[in-house]
mmCIF file of all heavy atoms in Angstrom:
data_model
loop_
_atom_site.group_PDB
_atom_site.id
_atom_site.type_symbol
_atom_site.label_atom_id
_atom_site.label_comp_id
_atom_site.label_asym_id
_atom_site.label_seq_id
_atom_site.Cartn_x
_atom_site.Cartn_y
_atom_site.Cartn_z
ATOM 1 N N GLY A 44 57.739 124.107 113.202
ATOM 2 C CA GLY A 44 56.666 123.883 112.270
ATOM 3 C C GLY A 44 56.949 122.721 111.300
ATOM 4 O O GLY A 44 56.223 122.556 110.347
ATOM 5 N N VAL A 45 57.950 121.893 111.587
ATOM 6 C CA VAL A 45 58.248 120.704 110.741
ATOM 7 C C VAL A 45 58.295 119.460 111.592
ATOM 8 O O VAL A 45 58.816 119.404 112.661
ATOM 9 C CB VAL A 45 59.682 120.893 110.074
ATOM 10 C CG1 VAL A 45 60.070 119.653 109.290
ATOM 11 C CG2 VAL A 45 59.618 122.090 109.120
ATOM 12 N N GLN A 46 57.674 118.412 111.045
ATOM 13 C CA GLN A 46 57.689 117.117 111.624
ATOM 14 C C GLN A 46 58.090 116.097 110.553
ATOM 15 O O GLN A 46 57.789 116.345 109.436
ATOM 16 C CB GLN A 46 56.324 116.716 112.179
ATOM 17 C CG GLN A 46 55.835 117.573 113.317
ATOM 18 C CD GLN A 46 54.487 117.178 113.810
ATOM 19 O OE1 GLN A 46 53.743 116.465 113.147
ATOM 20 N NE2 GLN A 46 54.100 117.658 114.964
ATOM 21 N N THR A 47 58.800 115.079 110.938
ATOM 22 C CA THR A 47 59.285 114.122 110.014
ATOM 23 C C THR A 47 58.899 112.694 110.463
ATOM 24 O O THR A 47 58.703 112.434 111.603
ATOM 25 C CB THR A 47 60.833 114.181 109.801
ATOM 26 O OG1 THR A 47 61.458 113.820 111.046
ATOM 27 C CG2 THR A 47 61.264 115.537 109.360
ATOM 28 N N GLU A 48 58.952 111.790 109.452
ATOM 29 C CA GLU A 48 58.706 110.357 109.754
ATOM 30 C C GLU A 48 59.537 109.570 108.743
ATOM 31 O O GLU A 48 59.506 109.842 107.558
ATOM 32 C CB GLU A 48 57.249 110.015 109.621
ATOM 33 C CG GLU A 48 56.916 108.583 109.997
ATOM 34 C CD GLU A 48 55.450 108.275 109.884
ATOM 35 O OE1 GLU A 48 54.590 109.155 109.589
ATOM 36 O OE2 GLU A 48 55.134 107.100 110.055
ATOM 37 N N LEU A 49 60.214 108.547 109.224
ATOM 38 C CA LEU A 49 60.944 107.639 108.347
ATOM 39 C C LEU A 49 60.052 106.505 108.017
ATOM 40 O O LEU A 49 59.495 105.839 108.892
ATOM 41 C CB LEU A 49 62.225 107.130 109.044
ATOM 42 C CG LEU A 49 63.279 108.207 109.403
ATOM 43 C CD1 LEU A 49 64.425 107.525 110.145
ATOM 44 C CD2 LEU A 49 63.730 108.942 108.174
ATOM 45 N N LEU A 50 59.894 106.237 106.722
ATOM 46 C CA LEU A 50 59.003 105.117 106.261
ATOM 47 C C LEU A 50 59.901 103.986 105.875
ATOM 48 O O LEU A 50 60.851 104.105 105.107
ATOM 49 C CB LEU A 50 58.152 105.641 105.059
ATOM 50 C CG LEU A 50 57.293 106.853 105.362
ATOM 51 C CD1 LEU A 50 56.607 107.290 104.113
ATOM 52 C CD2 LEU A 50 56.330 106.577 106.499
ATOM 53 N N ALA A 51 59.586 102.799 106.433
ATOM 54 C CA ALA A 51 60.425 101.595 106.285
ATOM 55 C C ALA A 51 60.383 101.074 104.849
ATOM 56 O O ALA A 51 59.412 101.224 104.147
ATOM 57 C CB ALA A 51 59.909 100.518 107.200
ATOM 58 N N GLN A 52 61.530 100.446 104.455
ATOM 59 C CA GLN A 52 61.640 99.782 103.162
ATOM 60 C C GLN A 52 60.598 98.681 103.075
ATOM 61 O O GLN A 52 60.387 97.926 104.027
ATOM 62 C CB GLN A 52 63.023 99.243 103.044
ATOM 63 C CG GLN A 52 63.337 98.544 101.694
ATOM 64 C CD GLN A 52 63.165 99.408 100.498
ATOM 65 O OE1 GLN A 52 62.198 99.276 99.812
ATOM 66 N NE2 GLN A 52 64.139 100.265 100.300
ATOM 67 N N GLN A 53 59.938 98.597 101.995
ATOM 68 C CA GLN A 53 58.868 97.611 101.759
ATOM 69 C C GLN A 53 59.252 96.381 100.924
ATOM 70 O O GLN A 53 58.457 95.481 100.705
ATOM 71 C CB GLN A 53 57.639 98.286 101.059
ATOM 72 C CG GLN A 53 57.051 99.421 101.803
ATOM 73 C CD GLN A 53 56.533 98.994 103.208
ATOM 74 O OE1 GLN A 53 55.834 98.021 103.281
ATOM 75 N NE2 GLN A 53 56.903 99.728 104.237
ATOM 76 N N SER A 54 60.508 96.336 100.543
ATOM 77 C CA SER A 54 61.027 95.228 99.740
ATOM 78 C C SER A 54 60.908 93.870 100.497
ATOM 79 O O SER A 54 61.234 93.840 101.675
ATOM 80 C CB SER A 54 62.436 95.425 99.279
ATOM 81 O OG SER A 54 62.930 94.361 98.616
ATOM 82 N N GLN A 55 60.447 92.857 99.890
ATOM 83 C CA GLN A 55 60.363 91.542 100.499
ATOM 84 C C GLN A 55 61.703 90.798 100.470
ATOM 85 O O GLN A 55 61.922 89.787 101.116
ATOM 86 C CB GLN A 55 59.314 90.701 99.786
ATOM 87 C CG GLN A 55 57.917 91.272 99.828
ATOM 88 C CD GLN A 55 57.375 91.382 101.260
ATOM 89 O OE1 GLN A 55 57.562 90.490 102.080
ATOM 90 N NE2 GLN A 55 56.763 92.500 101.537
ATOM 91 N N ARG A 56 62.663 91.298 99.671
ATOM 92 C CA ARG A 56 63.932 90.644 99.486
ATOM 93 C C ARG A 56 65.025 91.562 100.159
ATOM 94 O O ARG A 56 65.099 92.732 99.924
ATOM 95 C CB ARG A 56 64.198 90.546 97.988
ATOM 96 C CG ARG A 56 65.433 89.821 97.607
ATOM 97 C CD ARG A 56 65.534 89.704 96.066
ATOM 98 N NE ARG A 56 66.585 90.304 95.452
ATOM 99 C CZ ARG A 56 66.804 91.596 95.134
ATOM 100 N NH1 ARG A 56 65.988 92.459 95.381
ATOM 101 N NH2 ARG A 56 67.812 92.086 94.534
ATOM 102 N N PHE A 57 65.841 90.926 101.045
ATOM 103 C CA PHE A 57 66.894 91.666 101.681
ATOM 104 C C PHE A 57 68.022 91.895 100.699
ATOM 105 O O PHE A 57 68.448 90.967 99.963
ATOM 106 C CB PHE A 57 67.439 90.931 102.908
ATOM 107 C CG PHE A 57 68.516 91.693 103.626
ATOM 108 C CD1 PHE A 57 68.151 92.742 104.473
ATOM 109 C CD2 PHE A 57 69.817 91.371 103.429
ATOM 110 C CE1 PHE A 57 69.183 93.428 105.078
ATOM 111 C CE2 PHE A 57 70.813 92.078 104.079
ATOM 112 C CZ PHE A 57 70.486 93.110 104.899
ATOM 113 N N ASP A 58 68.527 93.090 100.683
ATOM 114 C CA ASP A 58 69.641 93.486 99.809
ATOM 115 C C ASP A 58 70.494 94.479 100.580
ATOM 116 O O ASP A 58 70.056 95.512 100.954
ATOM 117 C CB ASP A 58 69.112 94.055 98.491
ATOM 118 C CG ASP A 58 70.204 94.352 97.525
ATOM 119 O OD1 ASP A 58 71.380 94.437 97.869
ATOM 120 O OD2 ASP A 58 69.880 94.602 96.371
ATOM 121 N N TYR A 59 71.821 94.160 100.743
ATOM 122 C CA TYR A 59 72.697 95.039 101.472
ATOM 123 C C TYR A 59 72.858 96.400 100.745
ATOM 124 O O TYR A 59 73.150 97.359 101.385
ATOM 125 C CB TYR A 59 74.131 94.412 101.538
ATOM 126 C CG TYR A 59 74.240 93.392 102.618
ATOM 127 C CD1 TYR A 59 74.306 92.024 102.285
ATOM 128 C CD2 TYR A 59 74.325 93.761 103.910
ATOM 129 C CE1 TYR A 59 74.429 91.085 103.294
ATOM 130 C CE2 TYR A 59 74.410 92.843 104.919
ATOM 131 C CZ TYR A 59 74.475 91.475 104.621
ATOM 132 O OH TYR A 59 74.583 90.554 105.627
ATOM 133 N N ASN A 60 72.546 96.470 99.467
ATOM 134 C CA ASN A 60 72.648 97.731 98.735
ATOM 135 C C ASN A 60 71.469 98.636 98.906
ATOM 136 O O ASN A 60 71.489 99.771 98.530
ATOM 137 C CB ASN A 60 72.913 97.411 97.257
ATOM 138 C CG ASN A 60 74.196 96.710 97.026
ATOM 139 O OD1 ASN A 60 75.204 97.041 97.618
ATOM 140 N ND2 ASN A 60 74.180 95.716 96.176
ATOM 141 N N LEU A 61 70.338 98.049 99.448
ATOM 142 C CA LEU A 61 69.180 98.902 99.725
ATOM 143 C C LEU A 61 69.205 99.460 101.086
ATOM 144 O O LEU A 61 69.692 98.849 102.064
ATOM 145 C CB LEU A 61 67.932 98.082 99.529
ATOM 146 C CG LEU A 61 67.601 97.531 98.124
ATOM 147 C CD1 LEU A 61 66.369 96.638 98.211
ATOM 148 C CD2 LEU A 61 67.390 98.685 97.157
#
Side-chain angles (χ1 to χ4, degrees):
V45 173
Q46 295 178 344
T47 63
E48 182 179 357
L49 297 177
L50 304 176
Q52 181 61 255
Q53 299 299 313
S54 176
Q55 299 297 319
R56 186 174 116 282
F57 181 79
D58 183 345
Y59 281 105
N60 296 318
L61 294 176

